Amino acid sequence: MIIRDRYAPSPTGLQHIGGIRTALFNYLFARSADNGKFLLRLEDTDRTRSEDCYVQNLYDTFSWLGIKWDEGPDCGGAFAPYIQSERSSLYKKFAQELLDKGHAYRCFCTTQRIEEVRLQREASHSSESGYDRFCRNIDSNEAVKKAEAGEPYTVRLKIPLGESTVFHDHLLGDIEWKNDDVNPDPVLLKSDGFPTYHLANVVDDHLMEITHVLRAQEWLASTPLHVIMYRAFGWTPPQFCHLPMVMGQDGKKLSKRHGATSIDEFRKQGYLPEALINYVALLGASYEEGKDIYTLEELAQRFTLEKLNKAPAVFDYKKLEWYNGQYIRMKSDEELASLCLPYAIEARLFSNKGDNPSQQQKEIFISAMPLVKERLVFLNEVPEKIAYLFKEPEIPEAEEFIPKKCDLAKTIELLQIGKEIARNLAQASDDEKAESFIKAEAEKREVKLGDLMMPLRVAITGSRVSPPLFGSLRLLGAERSIERIEKALKKLQI
Ligand code: GLU
């Protein structure tokens, strides 16, 4: 069998972790098979909530992630169009087919009547919910007449009562659902002629020859209904695999309360797509013991439905941060600099107007990458960490300069030594040379290395916690470094 699967989002919100995980699993499953095909289909049947900006967000997200579909609204395919609002006439035809076969019926209930039923049930504390099947038994000839006379109607599925629907889920096994407990006769075609999700989804999965439906577990309750429809049409249903939920650390469904969930937010924060993909691919799936880092290709080679876990997946922001750090460290200085550049421009690192860097600034920026790379978690941390290389840092208060067990007089003395050795340090060809030089100086002058470095660091970078000192001195150069030390000394000597 040639696998064909799909990601079928409704463009009613931003792409989030749950969505991209569904897409990624479908992508990997199709890629894991010979000639498998992964489709994108836009399920924009909810006309009031679907918006173009969300479609754009979908395209932007996946192009950033580097996940491509084989067929879809933007690249076409043999089953086009892949946008449900462009397929309306098709659904009408299939709704008619179900009417003709007696598996669906016209419902003339007004929204007002449906609301009244709901209120009555509420008042009498009834356990019943959903449609009360009021129009189910209207004689079909009479219904046709009413429709022809212009009375508005919806088309509802006639759920066969008193039976059960059984289907198999790859992860959850055989599932049996009493039809009486299935959503009572859901609407398939709305009165404006637009389909609901259920009709459009089933018709399209069939017409697009989808073999496997991998989707979030929240859709499980719709599946019996879909299976009833496949049978009513006389079609073979695809194979189902409902993916485990994604939870926060507190066991509740992952949501904004836990932190960022939209991919846009992760992107702005300075996550790398590789880190997100790698982490999300492991959310609810286990690959190899002891291996954490996988490229998209490696994931595709290893993916099977058997590797999916039944238990809900817990989203661990710390682990995702760890992945981000790992992927940051795999970048060359040039790559990392170009990834961080937009954040630096936005933070107005190179000028107060937010200009692009000059050639010289660009060179310093690239050379500063080794100073921050080792400890970096997010790309957007970079501008703040290295701002002192581009702008004069504010000189901190005297206490900041004073090493433990020292006083101000001693600190001034230490910084004076710092000034004397700064040129040599700035001109040392590498860290090792600078280190052995400063060590020898500390010994000669009978001061502790740590004590000598602390005030020097604060004078050069404006902070006790900073990227490595020797590299900073080298990048600033002897003149600028000495100037900063002099300014600091002046402040300490007041
Ligand atoms: N349009 C549904 C969604 O927004 C698709 C569910 C499915 O995959 O069948 O997730």
Side-chain angles (χ1 to χ4, degrees), residues 246-254 258 279 313-319:
V246 183
M247 308 290 201
Q249 300 272 1
D250 58 0
K252 301 216 172 89
K253 193 179 165 197
L254 190 70
H258 298 102
Y279 181 60
V314 177
F315 195 87
D316 181 350
Y317 285 87
K318 283 277 164 256
K319 186 80 197 202

Side-chain angles (χ1 to χ4, degrees), residues 60-75:
D60 292 346
T61 301
F62 284 91
S63 101
W64 179 69
L65 288 171
I67 294 181
K68 293 199 178 83
W69 30 85
D70 303 298
E71 297 170 28
D74 50 347
C75 57

Side-chain angles (χ1 to χ4, degrees), residues 6-12 22 26 41-44 84 197 201 205 213-216 218-219 226:
R6 78 321 188 255
Y7 178 44
S10 301
T12 54
T22 300
N26 275 288
R41 183 174 74 225
L42 290 182
E43 300 209 326
D44 58 346
Q84 290 186 328
Y197 153 70
N201 184 274
D205 278 345
V213 168
L214 275 56
R215 64 181 167 200
E218 64 199 73
W219 297 102
H226 294 182

Side-chain angles (χ1 to χ4, degrees), residues 41-56:
R41 183 174 74 225
L42 290 182
E43 300 209 326
D44 58 346
T45 50
D46 186 341
R47 300 307 295 151
T48 51
R49 290 175 57 229
S50 297
E51 288 187 36
D52 288 347
C53 63
Y54 297 132
V55 176
Q56 195 52 48

Side-chain angles (χ1 to χ4, degrees), residues 78-298:
F79 300 88
Y82 293 88
I83 302 183
Q84 290 186 328
S85 58
E86 294 173 13
R87 302 168 62 83
S88 301
S89 54
L90 262 172
Y91 308 122
K92 277 190 201 144
K93 192 181 104 200
F94 284 103
Q96 186 62 48
E97 184 180 327
L98 288 184
L99 283 171
D100 295 344
K101 287 181 167 167
H103 293 304
Y105 61 91
R106 292 180 179 79
C107 167
F108 300 92
C109 291
T110 58
T111 35
Q112 193 193 346
R113 180 185 172 272
I114 287 174
E115 181 59 10
E116 276 163 18
V117 171
R118 195 184 66 78
L119 290 174
Q120 269 167 21
R121 280 177 176 166
E122 211 174 83
S124 62
H125 304 289
S126 161
S127 59
E128 282 176 297
S129 65
Y131 183 53
D132 63 355
R133 301 190 167 100
F134 187 75
C135 295
R136 182 173 167 121
N137 296 319
I138 296 180
D139 173 76
S140 61
N141 292 331
E142 195 190 320
V144 170
K145 266 192 216 144
K146 272 155 94 80
E148 278 170 1
E151 212 177 307
Y153 65 90
T154 58
V155 175
R156 288 184 182 271
L157 179 65
K158 198 176 206 169
I159 303 257
L161 296 176
E163 300 173 15
S164 285
T165 297
V166 182
F167 61 92
H168 182 78
D169 181 280
H170 263 280
L171 214 51
L172 307 170
D174 288 336
I175 295 186
E176 181 170 354
W177 212 295
K178 286 203 182 79
N179 287 0
D180 295 42
D181 296 338
V182 172
N183 177 359
D185 298 0
V187 172
L188 301 181
L189 204 65
K190 296 180 250 185
S191 53
D192 60 5
F194 262 96
T196 57
Y197 153 70
H198 301 300
L199 177 65
N201 184 274
V202 165
V203 165
D204 284 348
D205 278 345
H206 173 73
L207 294 181
M208 295 179 184
E209 298 178 6
I210 296 300
T211 58
H212 291 77
V213 168
L214 275 56
R215 64 181 167 200
Q217 231 166 65
E218 64 199 73
W219 297 102
L220 186 63
S222 300
T223 308
L225 210 152
H226 294 182
V227 172
I228 291 171
M229 286 165 71
Y230 281 106
R231 299 207 173 121
F233 280 119
W235 300 336
T236 311
Q239 299 184 38
F240 293 103
C241 180
H242 289 88
L243 305 170
M245 302 270 283
V246 183
M247 308 290 201
Q249 300 272 1
D250 58 0
K252 301 216 172 89
K253 193 179 165 197
L254 190 70
S255 75
K256 283 217 165 64
R257 283 181 301 113
H258 298 102
T261 52
S262 84
I263 307 309
D264 253 8
E265 283 171 274
F266 286 106
R267 191 174 167 179
K268 285 193 188 117
Q269 218 178 318
Y271 276 98
L272 295 176
E274 299 93 317
L276 261 179
I277 288 186
N278 198 147
Y279 181 60
V280 168
L282 302 183
L283 265 181
S286 323
Y287 296 83
E288 275 165 43
E289 197 73 42
K291 181 168 161 71
D292 291 306
I293 303 285
Y294 297 93
T295 61
L296 202 52
E297 291 71 37
E298 284 176 323

